[in-house]
């Protein structure tokens, strides 16, 4: 796609249980699993505001995004408050 049309958002790697420990509610989908962490799975949890910006009223769970400047596509598995 056109680089001028890309959405830039901060992202970070977190472990399973991070959201619960931080008091952040998942409003859709699920947390990361230990199996995904061990196998470097390409899955992401988006903030609610980013999910709305990217997907509007559509359900973001199961959608795919590119993250981190790499070529890998990440499956959206959750949306955080």
């Amino acid at each position: 796609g056109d680089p001028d049309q890309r959405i830039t958002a901060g992202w970070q790697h977190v472990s399973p249980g991070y959201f619960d420990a931080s008091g952040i509610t998942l409003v859709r989908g699920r947390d990361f699993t230990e199996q995904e962490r061990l196998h470097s799975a390409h899955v992401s949890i988006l903030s609610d505001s980013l999910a709305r910006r990217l997907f509007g009223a559509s359900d973001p769970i199961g959608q795919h995004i590119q993250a981190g400047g790499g070529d890998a596509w990440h499956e959206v598995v959750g949306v955080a408050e």
Side-chain angles (χ1 to χ4, degrees), residues 27-29 46 51-52 54-64 76-79:
V27 295
R28 281 197 142 135
L46 306 179
R52 282 193 316 265
L54 291 172
F55 301 108
S58 298
D59 187 358
I61 304 303
Q63 299 284 351
H64 290 83
V76 177
V77 296
V79 177

Side-chain angles (χ1 to χ4, degrees), residues 5-74:
Q5 299 299 316
R6 291 185 181 176
I7 295 173
T8 302
W11 66 282
Q12 60 186 2
H13 293 277
V14 299
S15 297
Y18 167 83
F19 295 99
D20 189 44
S22 300
I24 299 169
T25 302
L26 292 180
V27 295
R28 281 197 142 135
R30 62 171 178 82
D31 197 353
F32 299 117
T33 67
E34 188 64 21
Q35 193 72 1
E36 289 166 338
R37 185 186 72 79
L38 292 173
H39 296 286
S40 300
H42 296 290
V43 293
S44 292
I45 295 174
L46 306 179
S47 68
D48 189 44
S49 60
L50 180 58
R52 282 193 316 265
R53 187 168 174 200
L54 291 172
F55 301 108
S58 298
D59 187 358
I61 304 303
Q63 299 284 351
H64 290 83
I65 61 169
Q66 280 188 299
D71 292 331
W73 286 86
H74 292 233

